[in-house]
Structures are given as structure tokens and as C-alpha cells.
Amino acid sequence: GENVEQHPSTLSVQEGDSAVIKCTYSDSASNYFPWYKQELGKRPQLIIDIRSNVGEKKDQRIAVTLNKTAKHFSLHITETQPEDSAVYFCAAITNFGNEKLTFGTGTRLTIIP
Amino acid sequence: ETGVTQTPRHLVMGMTNKKSLKCEQHLGHNAMYWYKQSAKKPLELMFVYNFKEQTENNSVPSRFSPECPNSSHLFLHLHTLQPEDSALYLCASSQDKVAAQPQHFGDGTRLSIL
């Protein structure tokens, strides 16, 4: 089955700087990669996703890149703000046969004012 | 956003009790999921229902029993739980379980086993 590894587990960034979170996956057939943000005591919320037919997707200050050859994808947050502090989870899914989202272990991002 | 609603938000129960968690989605989705979230572990998928039919049981102990009476409601019946079952239980829904649709989560039920 799919295995997703996420790094780092914790990340502290000065407000205004950029943050990068990286994930690797094991199943080369995986073709959908969502990122979720979970604030303390709240539900995970989808913030951005990417499918395997594109290499990069951007939504305002958030971008995700995908390298299918190396089987890794990354979340980039630019101009970080205090409200970006949360736990971020990456996930991967294979469309055919087993449509099960496999999550990474999460990254606790702290934005230092 | 109140698309996926879970009750109760918090539950404390003894190991011999029987209780149920409820999830309701108002998004018109056809697939619903139960996840377990423990500290320092990835979200663990427990069960998947698609059009009311269970399509995935991720080796979950029988002390957890899911029920999906229709596409909008999902229950998780609990009995004789163990202390290691203390966790946040999250419900999610998606349009359907094919074509990798985004999943929408509820706020979860924080379960504590005494």
C-alpha cells in the first residue's frame, strides 16, 4: 500500500518569511495530492490540492509542487502570517483499485511575530 | 462551514459502556468516512461508505461498529473500548469515492476512555 512521509514534524518561521513542507510517497500510481490545514481544536480543512498531470499549482500565498519522478511534493507558503500557524497534513491517493487517502504525520507550523 | 456535523463533540466513557458517535453531512455527498486521529500519528482511515455500502474496513477491531442508514448519516457504535482508543474521531464526506474528490471533515468527537 501507499506510504507517505512528511518533513519536518515542526517548523518555526519568522512572520513574513516563507515556509516549505515536504512529503514523499511510495506508490508511483498515486495521482491526487491534497494538503490539509488543522488549527488547534478545529477540523482539517483542504487548502490546496494537485493532480499528477500538473507540476505546480498556486493559490495566492500557497503553492504546491509535484515531482512525479522523485515521488515527492511540497507545500510552499510565502509571506507567512500568524494565522498560518497550524498543523499541516499532506496526503496521497491512487485512483484505481484503492481510493484510500494516506496521510503524512503532519507538520506543526509556528509563525513567530 | 457546517457541511459536516459531528455529535457529541466530547465523550467520556468507561470501558464497559456502549455509546454512539453521529455524523451528518449536508453537502449532497455519496461517500462518508471515519478516521481516528491520535497524537503524533497520521490520520488513520477506519471505514469508508459509498452510496451506503461499506467499501473499506481498515482492519478495525470489532468493538467499533459503523452504520450508514443513508448517504447523509454515518454512525460509529462503540462498546467495550480500551484506553488506547482515546482519540479524536473525525468524520468526512466526499462527492464519491472515485476520481479522488476532496474530502470535507467534521469537527470531530474527542473520545476519552476511563
Tab-separated table of all heavy atoms in Angstrom, chain B residues 2-64:
chain	number	residue	atom	x	y	z
B	2	THR	N	-20.621	24.426	8.035
B	2	THR	CA	-21.310	23.391	8.821
B	2	THR	C	-21.735	22.251	7.913
B	2	THR	O	-22.717	21.584	8.159
B	2	THR	CB	-22.537	23.990	9.521
B	2	THR	OG1	-23.392	24.572	8.532
B	2	THR	CG2	-22.122	25.052	10.520
B	3	GLY	N	-20.983	22.008	6.847
B	3	GLY	CA	-21.356	20.962	5.905
B	3	GLY	C	-21.353	19.584	6.514
B	3	GLY	O	-22.165	18.750	6.157
B	4	VAL	N	-20.418	19.325	7.448
B	4	VAL	CA	-20.335	18.023	8.104
B	4	VAL	C	-20.403	18.273	9.608
B	4	VAL	O	-19.556	18.965	10.160
B	4	VAL	CB	-19.024	17.290	7.749
B	4	VAL	CG1	-18.972	15.931	8.437
B	4	VAL	CG2	-18.901	17.126	6.233
B	5	THR	N	-21.413	17.707	10.251
B	5	THR	CA	-21.663	17.941	11.668
B	5	THR	C	-21.492	16.648	12.454
B	5	THR	O	-22.051	15.619	12.082
B	5	THR	CB	-23.096	18.464	11.885
B	5	THR	OG1	-23.290	19.637	11.088
B	5	THR	CG2	-23.335	18.812	13.347
B	6	GLN	N	-20.710	16.728	13.524
B	6	GLN	CA	-20.494	15.550	14.354
B	6	GLN	C	-20.994	15.821	15.776
B	6	GLN	O	-20.781	16.905	16.332
B	6	GLN	CB	-19.010	15.197	14.427
B	6	GLN	CG	-18.472	14.611	13.143
B	6	GLN	CD	-17.044	14.118	13.298
B	6	GLN	OE1	-16.121	14.640	12.691
B	6	GLN	NE2	-16.867	13.092	14.130
B	7	THR	N	-21.624	14.810	16.359
B	7	THR	CA	-22.048	14.891	17.764
B	7	THR	C	-21.773	13.549	18.452
B	7	THR	O	-21.836	12.489	17.802
B	7	THR	CB	-23.555	15.204	17.879
B	7	THR	OG1	-24.300	14.243	17.106
B	7	THR	CG2	-23.878	16.603	17.391
B	8	PRO	N	-21.450	13.581	19.755
B	8	PRO	CA	-21.145	14.786	20.519
B	8	PRO	C	-19.741	15.300	20.191
B	8	PRO	O	-18.979	14.636	19.498
B	8	PRO	CB	-21.210	14.267	21.964
B	8	PRO	CG	-20.755	12.845	21.862
B	8	PRO	CD	-21.278	12.339	20.533
B	9	ARG	N	-19.393	16.466	20.675
B	9	ARG	CA	-18.047	16.994	20.467
B	9	ARG	C	-17.048	16.351	21.424
B	9	ARG	O	-15.880	16.176	21.088
B	9	ARG	CB	-18.020	18.516	20.660
B	9	ARG	CG	-18.772	19.297	19.582
B	9	ARG	CD	-18.095	19.163	18.203
B	9	ARG	NE	-16.671	19.416	18.228
B	9	ARG	CZ	-16.123	20.616	18.196
B	9	ARG	NH1	-16.888	21.700	18.116
B	9	ARG	NH2	-14.810	20.758	18.221
B	10	HIS	N	-17.534	16.022	22.600
B	10	HIS	CA	-16.686	15.373	23.610
B	10	HIS	C	-17.453	14.211	24.211
B	10	HIS	O	-18.669	14.309	24.414
B	10	HIS	CB	-16.300	16.356	24.717
B	10	HIS	CG	-15.593	17.573	24.221
B	10	HIS	ND1	-14.237	17.618	24.031
B	10	HIS	CD2	-16.063	18.786	23.847
B	10	HIS	CE1	-13.896	18.816	23.580
B	10	HIS	NE2	-14.985	19.539	23.445
B	11	LEU	N	-16.743	13.139	24.511
B	11	LEU	CA	-17.375	11.970	25.130
B	11	LEU	C	-16.373	11.298	26.053
B	11	LEU	O	-15.253	10.991	25.647
B	11	LEU	CB	-17.838	10.992	24.037
B	11	LEU	CG	-18.501	9.709	24.511
B	11	LEU	CD1	-19.767	10.011	25.293
B	11	LEU	CD2	-18.827	8.807	23.310
B	12	VAL	N	-16.813	11.089	27.293
B	12	VAL	CA	-16.014	10.346	28.262
B	12	VAL	C	-16.814	9.095	28.614
B	12	VAL	O	-17.995	9.189	28.953
B	12	VAL	CB	-15.737	11.179	29.541
B	12	VAL	CG1	-14.917	10.358	30.531
B	12	VAL	CG2	-15.008	12.468	29.179
B	13	MET	N	-16.197	7.957	28.487
B	13	MET	CA	-16.919	6.725	28.784
B	13	MET	C	-16.005	5.692	29.429
B	13	MET	O	-14.781	5.707	29.230
B	13	MET	CB	-17.575	6.155	27.531
B	13	MET	CG	-16.642	5.865	26.378
B	13	MET	SD	-17.519	5.392	24.861
B	13	MET	CE	-18.002	3.709	25.237
B	14	GLY	N	-16.632	4.804	30.188
B	14	GLY	CA	-15.899	3.708	30.791
B	14	GLY	C	-15.752	2.579	29.789
B	14	GLY	O	-16.406	2.550	28.743
B	15	MET	N	-14.882	1.653	30.105
B	15	MET	CA	-14.585	0.574	29.168
B	15	MET	C	-15.776	-0.360	28.942
B	15	MET	O	-15.837	-1.040	27.920
B	15	MET	CB	-13.360	-0.214	29.648
B	15	MET	CG	-12.062	0.564	29.497
B	15	MET	SD	-10.597	-0.456	29.754
B	15	MET	CE	-10.606	-0.595	31.523
B	16	THR	N	-16.719	-0.365	29.862
B	16	THR	CA	-17.852	-1.279	29.702
B	16	THR	C	-19.075	-0.609	29.088
B	16	THR	O	-20.086	-1.251	28.835
B	16	THR	CB	-18.247	-1.896	31.056
B	16	THR	OG1	-18.562	-0.825	31.963
B	16	THR	CG2	-17.113	-2.741	31.616
B	17	ASN	N	-18.982	0.705	28.868
B	17	ASN	CA	-20.138	1.434	28.317
B	17	ASN	C	-20.347	1.151	26.841
B	17	ASN	O	-19.448	0.668	26.142
B	17	ASN	CB	-19.931	2.951	28.496
B	17	ASN	CG	-19.988	3.396	29.939
B	17	ASN	OD1	-19.455	4.442	30.285
B	17	ASN	ND2	-20.622	2.609	30.779
B	18	LYS	N	-21.556	1.493	26.386
B	18	LYS	CA	-21.877	1.486	24.959
B	18	LYS	C	-22.349	2.884	24.584
B	18	LYS	O	-23.243	3.424	25.234
B	18	LYS	CB	-22.999	0.490	24.648
B	18	LYS	CG	-22.626	-0.958	24.766
B	18	LYS	CD	-23.797	-1.839	24.318
B	18	LYS	CE	-23.443	-3.313	24.435
B	18	LYS	NZ	-24.559	-4.177	23.977
B	19	LYS	N	-21.746	3.439	23.559
B	19	LYS	CA	-22.134	4.774	23.099
B	19	LYS	C	-22.052	4.803	21.573
B	19	LYS	O	-21.467	3.902	20.946
B	19	LYS	CB	-21.195	5.845	23.669
B	19	LYS	CG	-21.237	5.995	25.176
B	19	LYS	CD	-22.485	6.720	25.619
B	19	LYS	CE	-22.447	6.948	27.141
B	19	LYS	NZ	-23.693	7.592	27.636
B	20	SER	N	-22.603	5.856	21.002
B	20	SER	CA	-22.541	6.015	19.545
B	20	SER	C	-22.118	7.422	19.177
B	20	SER	O	-22.540	8.388	19.814
B	20	SER	CB	-23.907	5.715	18.923
B	20	SER	OG	-24.275	4.371	19.114
B	21	LEU	N	-21.313	7.534	18.137
B	21	LEU	CA	-20.957	8.813	17.548
B	21	LEU	C	-21.796	9.006	16.293
B	21	LEU	O	-22.049	8.051	15.553
B	21	LEU	CB	-19.467	8.845	17.176
B	21	LEU	CG	-18.464	8.415	18.232
B	21	LEU	CD1	-17.043	8.632	17.717
B	21	LEU	CD2	-18.693	9.137	19.532
B	22	LYS	N	-22.194	10.261	16.078
B	22	LYS	CA	-23.050	10.543	14.928
B	22	LYS	C	-22.392	11.557	14.000
B	22	LYS	O	-21.721	12.491	14.457
B	22	LYS	CB	-24.390	11.106	15.408
B	22	LYS	CG	-25.367	11.442	14.292
B	22	LYS	CD	-26.651	12.035	14.848
B	22	LYS	CE	-27.591	12.482	13.724
B	22	LYS	NZ	-28.816	13.130	14.255
B	23	CYS	N	-22.589	11.357	12.716
B	23	CYS	CA	-22.097	12.287	11.705
B	23	CYS	C	-23.196	12.528	10.690
B	23	CYS	O	-23.860	11.591	10.252
B	23	CYS	CB	-20.862	11.709	11.019
B	23	CYS	SG	-20.222	12.725	9.674
B	24	GLU	N	-23.368	13.780	10.320
B	24	GLU	CA	-24.378	14.139	9.326
B	24	GLU	C	-23.753	15.127	8.337
B	24	GLU	O	-23.085	16.075	8.744
B	24	GLU	CB	-25.586	14.768	10.012
B	24	GLU	CG	-26.745	15.083	9.085
B	24	GLU	CD	-27.988	15.573	9.831
B	24	GLU	OE1	-27.952	15.654	11.080
B	24	GLU	OE2	-28.987	15.875	9.171
B	25	GLN	N	-23.974	14.882	7.052
B	25	GLN	CA	-23.448	15.823	6.062
B	25	GLN	C	-24.580	16.387	5.210
B	25	GLN	O	-25.526	15.681	4.853
B	25	GLN	CB	-22.349	15.177	5.200
B	25	GLN	CG	-22.739	13.932	4.432
B	25	GLN	CD	-23.194	14.183	3.018
B	25	GLN	OE1	-23.194	15.315	2.537
B	25	GLN	NE2	-23.591	13.130	2.323
B	26	HIS	N	-24.451	17.693	4.950
B	26	HIS	CA	-25.479	18.428	4.207
B	26	HIS	C	-24.937	18.885	2.850
B	26	HIS	O	-25.338	19.922	2.329
B	26	HIS	CB	-25.921	19.645	5.020
B	26	HIS	CG	-26.367	19.312	6.411
B	26	HIS	ND1	-27.624	18.840	6.692
B	26	HIS	CD2	-25.700	19.359	7.593
B	26	HIS	CE1	-27.728	18.636	7.991
B	26	HIS	NE2	-26.583	18.935	8.563
B	27	LEU	N	-23.995	18.141	2.305
B	27	LEU	CA	-23.318	18.554	1.082
B	27	LEU	C	-23.776	17.776	-0.142
B	27	LEU	O	-23.259	17.992	-1.237
B	27	LEU	CB	-21.799	18.390	1.267
B	27	LEU	CG	-21.205	19.210	2.423
B	27	LEU	CD1	-19.764	18.792	2.701
B	27	LEU	CD2	-21.269	20.703	2.095
B	28	GLY	N	-24.695	16.832	0.051
B	28	GLY	CA	-25.149	16.014	-1.067
B	28	GLY	C	-24.117	15.011	-1.532
B	28	GLY	O	-24.171	14.547	-2.675
B	29	HIS	N	-23.175	14.676	-0.636
B	29	HIS	CA	-22.127	13.718	-0.991
B	29	HIS	C	-22.617	12.278	-0.881
B	29	HIS	O	-23.600	11.988	-0.200
B	29	HIS	CB	-20.906	13.924	-0.088
B	29	HIS	CG	-20.171	15.187	-0.359
B	29	HIS	ND1	-19.213	15.698	0.503
B	29	HIS	CD2	-20.210	16.045	-1.413
B	29	HIS	CE1	-18.723	16.819	-0.012
B	29	HIS	NE2	-19.312	17.051	-1.166
B	30	ASN	N	-21.883	11.395	-1.556
B	30	ASN	CA	-22.262	9.984	-1.548
B	30	ASN	C	-21.292	9.092	-0.784
B	30	ASN	O	-21.598	7.928	-0.534
B	30	ASN	CB	-22.370	9.473	-2.984
B	30	ASN	CG	-23.471	10.184	-3.745
B	30	ASN	OD1	-24.612	10.234	-3.304
B	30	ASN	ND2	-23.131	10.768	-4.886
B	31	ALA	N	-20.137	9.619	-0.454
B	31	ALA	CA	-19.138	8.834	0.269
B	31	ALA	C	-18.904	9.454	1.644
B	31	ALA	O	-18.830	10.679	1.784
B	31	ALA	CB	-17.825	8.778	-0.500
B	32	MET	N	-18.796	8.603	2.658
B	32	MET	CA	-18.526	9.068	4.022
B	32	MET	C	-17.452	8.191	4.650
B	32	MET	O	-17.308	7.008	4.307
B	32	MET	CB	-19.808	9.052	4.863
B	32	MET	CG	-20.866	10.024	4.340
B	32	MET	SD	-22.304	10.194	5.416
B	32	MET	CE	-21.651	11.266	6.702
B	33	TYR	N	-16.706	8.793	5.564
B	33	TYR	CA	-15.516	8.154	6.113
B	33	TYR	C	-15.435	8.371	7.629
B	33	TYR	O	-15.836	9.418	8.125
B	33	TYR	CB	-14.246	8.772	5.501
B	33	TYR	CG	-14.235	8.910	4.004
B	33	TYR	CD1	-14.914	9.957	3.369
B	33	TYR	CD2	-13.536	8.013	3.209
B	33	TYR	CE1	-14.899	10.095	1.997
B	33	TYR	CE2	-13.509	8.144	1.818
B	33	TYR	CZ	-14.198	9.192	1.223
B	33	TYR	OH	-14.176	9.315	-0.150
B	34	TRP	N	-14.881	7.388	8.324
B	34	TRP	CA	-14.477	7.577	9.712
B	34	TRP	C	-12.956	7.499	9.782
B	34	TRP	O	-12.344	6.571	9.219
B	34	TRP	CB	-15.053	6.493	10.624
B	34	TRP	CG	-16.463	6.703	11.077
B	34	TRP	CD1	-17.542	5.909	10.816
B	34	TRP	CD2	-16.959	7.771	11.905
B	34	TRP	NE1	-18.669	6.418	11.399
B	34	TRP	CE2	-18.343	7.555	12.078
B	34	TRP	CE3	-16.378	8.886	12.518
B	34	TRP	CZ2	-19.151	8.406	12.829
B	34	TRP	CZ3	-17.186	9.737	13.256
B	34	TRP	CH2	-18.552	9.485	13.412
B	35	TYR	N	-12.361	8.482	10.486
B	35	TYR	CA	-10.928	8.495	10.734
B	35	TYR	C	-10.677	8.561	12.237
B	35	TYR	O	-11.454	9.135	12.990
B	35	TYR	CB	-10.267	9.750	10.118
B	35	TYR	CG	-10.132	9.746	8.621
B	35	TYR	CD1	-11.130	10.266	7.804
B	35	TYR	CD2	-8.987	9.249	8.014
B	35	TYR	CE1	-10.996	10.288	6.425
B	35	TYR	CE2	-8.835	9.269	6.629
B	35	TYR	CZ	-9.850	9.792	5.850
B	35	TYR	OH	-9.705	9.816	4.487
B	36	LYS	N	-9.524	8.033	12.645
B	36	LYS	CA	-9.064	8.179	14.020
B	36	LYS	C	-7.814	9.050	14.000
B	36	LYS	O	-6.899	8.810	13.194
B	36	LYS	CB	-8.718	6.806	14.617
B	36	LYS	CG	-8.146	6.863	16.032
B	36	LYS	CD	-7.772	5.464	16.516
B	36	LYS	CE	-7.171	5.507	17.925
B	36	LYS	NZ	-6.756	4.161	18.396
B	37	GLN	N	-7.789	10.073	14.869
B	37	GLN	CA	-6.612	10.935	14.955
B	37	GLN	C	-6.046	10.865	16.367
B	37	GLN	O	-6.653	11.333	17.324
B	37	GLN	CB	-6.962	12.384	14.596
B	37	GLN	CG	-5.736	13.282	14.504
B	37	GLN	CD	-6.048	14.677	14.006
B	37	GLN	OE1	-7.113	15.232	14.272
B	37	GLN	NE2	-5.126	15.261	13.254
B	38	SER	N	-4.866	10.258	16.482
B	38	SER	CA	-4.165	10.173	17.753
B	38	SER	C	-2.962	11.102	17.708
B	38	SER	O	-2.463	11.440	16.632
B	38	SER	CB	-3.683	8.747	18.013
B	38	SER	OG	-4.751	7.835	17.926
B	39	ALA	N	-2.484	11.468	18.895
B	39	ALA	CA	-1.345	12.383	18.982
B	39	ALA	C	-0.133	11.771	18.270
B	39	ALA	O	0.161	10.587	18.410
B	39	ALA	CB	-1.008	12.662	20.436
B	40	LYS	N	0.538	12.594	17.472
B	40	LYS	CA	1.785	12.233	16.809
B	40	LYS	C	1.666	11.050	15.861
B	40	LYS	O	2.643	10.347	15.598
B	40	LYS	CB	2.887	11.976	17.846
B	40	LYS	CG	3.189	13.191	18.701
B	40	LYS	CD	4.344	12.962	19.648
B	40	LYS	CE	4.602	14.230	20.465
B	40	LYS	NZ	5.709	14.069	21.423
B	41	LYS	N	0.464	10.811	15.364
B	41	LYS	CA	0.251	9.751	14.370
B	41	LYS	C	-0.492	10.317	13.183
B	41	LYS	O	-1.244	11.282	13.324
B	41	LYS	CB	-0.588	8.609	14.969
B	41	LYS	CG	0.139	7.687	15.907
B	41	LYS	CD	-0.773	6.523	16.248
B	41	LYS	CE	-0.083	5.495	17.084
B	41	LYS	NZ	-0.971	4.346	17.377
B	42	PRO	N	-0.317	9.710	12.008
B	42	PRO	CA	-1.106	10.177	10.865
B	42	PRO	C	-2.582	9.875	11.090
B	42	PRO	O	-2.925	8.968	11.852
B	42	PRO	CB	-0.579	9.344	9.692
B	42	PRO	CG	0.630	8.645	10.179
B	42	PRO	CD	0.555	8.592	11.657
B	43	LEU	N	-3.412	10.620	10.405
B	43	LEU	CA	-4.836	10.282	10.385
B	43	LEU	C	-4.995	8.847	9.880
B	43	LEU	O	-4.455	8.490	8.828
B	43	LEU	CB	-5.581	11.225	9.435
B	43	LEU	CG	-6.048	12.557	10.006
B	43	LEU	CD1	-6.358	13.530	8.903
B	43	LEU	CD2	-7.270	12.353	10.875
B	44	GLU	N	-5.745	8.057	10.644
B	44	GLU	CA	-5.921	6.650	10.264
B	44	GLU	C	-7.338	6.434	9.745
B	44	GLU	O	-8.302	6.663	10.469
B	44	GLU	CB	-5.724	5.736	11.480
B	44	GLU	CG	-4.368	5.809	12.131
B	44	GLU	CD	-4.348	5.001	13.425
B	44	GLU	OE1	-4.637	3.793	13.383
B	44	GLU	OE2	-4.066	5.589	14.489
B	45	LEU	N	-7.438	5.987	8.512
B	45	LEU	CA	-8.748	5.672	7.962
B	45	LEU	C	-9.289	4.422	8.640
B	45	LEU	O	-8.575	3.422	8.778
B	45	LEU	CB	-8.636	5.437	6.456
B	45	LEU	CG	-9.926	5.077	5.739
B	45	LEU	CD1	-10.890	6.253	5.736
B	45	LEU	CD2	-9.626	4.630	4.316
B	46	MET	N	-10.558	4.476	9.067
B	46	MET	CA	-11.179	3.323	9.709
B	46	MET	C	-12.158	2.645	8.747
B	46	MET	O	-12.052	1.461	8.479
B	46	MET	CB	-11.911	3.758	10.973
B	46	MET	CG	-11.021	4.403	12.017
B	46	MET	SD	-11.965	5.027	13.416
B	46	MET	CE	-12.452	3.502	14.234
B	47	PHE	N	-13.132	3.410	8.280
B	47	PHE	CA	-14.192	2.848	7.437
B	47	PHE	C	-14.524	3.808	6.298
B	47	PHE	O	-14.403	5.021	6.452
B	47	PHE	CB	-15.472	2.606	8.245
B	47	PHE	CG	-15.317	1.689	9.418
B	47	PHE	CD1	-15.260	2.189	10.711
B	47	PHE	CD2	-15.253	0.315	9.230
B	47	PHE	CE1	-15.119	1.343	11.799
B	47	PHE	CE2	-15.122	-0.543	10.315
B	47	PHE	CZ	-15.054	-0.029	11.594
B	48	VAL	N	-14.962	3.228	5.181
B	48	VAL	CA	-15.438	4.013	4.048
B	48	VAL	C	-16.796	3.469	3.620
B	48	VAL	O	-16.972	2.252	3.513
B	48	VAL	CB	-14.471	3.936	2.845
B	48	VAL	CG1	-15.010	4.781	1.684
B	48	VAL	CG2	-13.087	4.388	3.225
B	49	TYR	N	-17.717	4.371	3.396
B	49	TYR	CA	-19.028	4.012	2.842
B	49	TYR	C	-19.230	4.791	1.557
B	49	TYR	O	-18.939	5.983	1.487
B	49	TYR	CB	-20.158	4.353	3.823
B	49	TYR	CG	-20.363	3.317	4.890
B	49	TYR	CD1	-19.567	3.292	6.018
B	49	TYR	CD2	-21.343	2.340	4.758
B	49	TYR	CE1	-19.732	2.334	7.000
B	49	TYR	CE2	-21.534	1.372	5.737
B	49	TYR	CZ	-20.725	1.378	6.852
B	49	TYR	OH	-20.905	0.414	7.818
B	50	ASN	N	-19.697	4.102	0.534
B	50	ASN	CA	-20.012	4.747	-0.731
B	50	ASN	C	-21.427	4.336	-1.117
B	50	ASN	O	-21.708	3.142	-1.246
B	50	ASN	CB	-19.004	4.329	-1.801
B	50	ASN	CG	-19.022	5.252	-3.002
B	50	ASN	OD1	-19.106	6.476	-2.844
B	50	ASN	ND2	-18.912	4.701	-4.191
B	51	PHE	N	-22.308	5.319	-1.278
B	51	PHE	CA	-23.718	5.022	-1.544
B	51	PHE	C	-24.254	4.005	-0.528
B	51	PHE	O	-24.895	3.011	-0.886
B	51	PHE	CB	-23.904	4.486	-2.974
B	51	PHE	CG	-23.638	5.524	-4.029
B	51	PHE	CD1	-22.385	5.641	-4.607
B	51	PHE	CD2	-24.643	6.379	-4.447
B	51	PHE	CE1	-22.140	6.607	-5.584
B	51	PHE	CE2	-24.415	7.339	-5.428
B	51	PHE	CZ	-23.154	7.445	-5.989
B	52	LYS	N	-23.986	4.250	0.736
B	52	LYS	CA	-24.473	3.483	1.895
B	52	LYS	C	-23.817	2.117	2.039
B	52	LYS	O	-24.096	1.409	3.015
B	52	LYS	CB	-26.000	3.294	1.834
B	52	LYS	CG	-26.819	4.551	1.805
B	52	LYS	CD	-28.320	4.258	1.972
B	52	LYS	CE	-28.812	3.330	0.877
B	52	LYS	NZ	-30.239	2.954	1.071
B	53	GLU	N	-22.987	1.719	1.114
B	53	GLU	CA	-22.350	0.406	1.197
B	53	GLU	C	-20.924	0.553	1.747
B	53	GLU	O	-20.161	1.413	1.298
B	53	GLU	CB	-22.293	-0.255	-0.184
B	53	GLU	CG	-23.653	-0.514	-0.801
B	53	GLU	CD	-24.497	-1.474	0.024
B	53	GLU	OE1	-23.932	-2.445	0.572
B	53	GLU	OE2	-25.716	-1.238	0.154
B	54	GLN	N	-20.577	-0.317	2.697
B	54	GLN	CA	-19.222	-0.252	3.240
B	54	GLN	C	-18.248	-0.808	2.217
B	54	GLN	O	-18.410	-1.942	1.740
B	54	GLN	CB	-19.127	-1.063	4.542
B	54	GLN	CG	-17.775	-0.903	5.231
B	54	GLN	CD	-17.647	-1.713	6.515
B	54	GLN	OE1	-16.735	-2.500	6.680
B	54	GLN	NE2	-18.568	-1.524	7.430
B	55	THR	N	-17.262	-0.011	1.861
B	55	THR	CA	-16.290	-0.435	0.861
B	55	THR	C	-14.898	-0.608	1.439
B	55	THR	O	-13.996	-1.090	0.756
B	55	THR	CB	-16.224	0.579	-0.295
B	55	THR	OG1	-15.860	1.857	0.241
B	55	THR	CG2	-17.560	0.700	-1.001
B	56	GLU	N	-14.711	-0.192	2.678
B	56	GLU	CA	-13.384	-0.326	3.281
B	56	GLU	C	-13.533	-0.503	4.788
B	56	GLU	O	-14.265	0.229	5.446
B	56	GLU	CB	-12.551	0.932	3.002
B	56	GLU	CG	-11.163	0.948	3.610
B	56	GLU	CD	-10.077	0.469	2.670
B	56	GLU	OE1	-10.306	0.478	1.450
B	56	GLU	OE2	-9.007	0.065	3.157
B	57	ASN	N	-12.875	-1.520	5.300
B	57	ASN	CA	-12.728	-1.709	6.731
B	57	ASN	C	-11.239	-1.910	6.952
B	57	ASN	O	-10.686	-2.944	6.601
B	57	ASN	CB	-13.532	-2.922	7.200
B	57	ASN	CG	-13.350	-3.205	8.684
B	57	ASN	OD1	-12.361	-2.807	9.298
B	57	ASN	ND2	-14.310	-3.879	9.276
B	58	ASN	N	-10.608	-0.892	7.498
B	58	ASN	CA	-9.152	-0.887	7.558
B	58	ASN	C	-8.654	-1.644	8.782
B	58	ASN	O	-7.946	-1.091	9.623
B	58	ASN	CB	-8.668	0.565	7.555
B	58	ASN	CG	-7.261	0.704	7.049
B	58	ASN	OD1	-6.783	-0.104	6.259
B	58	ASN	ND2	-6.571	1.729	7.504
B	59	SER	N	-9.057	-2.932	8.865
B	59	SER	CA	-8.615	-3.790	9.970
B	59	SER	C	-8.947	-3.190	11.327
B	59	SER	O	-8.119	-3.175	12.246
B	59	SER	CB	-7.098	-4.052	9.884
B	59	SER	OG	-6.774	-4.623	8.646
B	60	VAL	N	-10.156	-2.677	11.452
B	60	VAL	CA	-10.591	-2.043	12.697
B	60	VAL	C	-11.169	-3.107	13.631
B	60	VAL	O	-11.934	-3.965	13.188
B	60	VAL	CB	-11.661	-0.977	12.403
B	60	VAL	CG1	-12.119	-0.299	13.685
B	60	VAL	CG2	-11.124	0.054	11.416
B	61	PRO	N	-10.815	-3.059	14.931
B	61	PRO	CA	-11.364	-4.042	15.874
B	61	PRO	C	-12.885	-3.996	15.911
B	61	PRO	O	-13.493	-2.940	15.698
B	61	PRO	CB	-10.771	-3.581	17.218
B	61	PRO	CG	-9.573	-2.782	16.872
B	61	PRO	CD	-9.861	-2.137	15.557
B	62	SER	N	-13.480	-5.146	16.211
B	62	SER	CA	-14.938	-5.264	16.167
B	62	SER	C	-15.638	-4.463	17.255
B	62	SER	O	-16.868	-4.317	17.215
B	62	SER	CB	-15.340	-6.738	16.280
B	62	SER	OG	-14.857	-7.273	17.497
B	63	ARG	N	-14.895	-3.922	18.217
B	63	ARG	CA	-15.526	-3.073	19.230
B	63	ARG	C	-15.975	-1.729	18.630
B	63	ARG	O	-16.685	-0.964	19.276
B	63	ARG	CB	-14.579	-2.846	20.421
B	63	ARG	CG	-13.247	-2.257	20.081
B	63	ARG	CD	-12.358	-2.225	21.333
B	63	ARG	NE	-11.091	-1.558	21.113
B	63	ARG	CZ	-9.985	-2.194	20.747
B	63	ARG	NH1	-10.014	-3.502	20.553
B	63	ARG	NH2	-8.862	-1.511	20.562
B	64	PHE	N	-15.555	-1.460	17.400
B	64	PHE	CA	-16.051	-0.312	16.630
B	64	PHE	C	-16.980	-0.867	15.545
B	64	PHE	O	-16.548	-1.670	14.703
B	64	PHE	CB	-14.911	0.451	15.963
B	64	PHE	CG	-13.971	1.118	16.926
B	64	PHE	CD1	-12.848	0.442	17.379
B	64	PHE	CD2	-14.214	2.395	17.367
B	64	PHE	CE1	-11.978	1.046	18.269
B	64	PHE	CE2	-13.345	3.021	18.257
B	64	PHE	CZ	-12.226	2.342	18.710
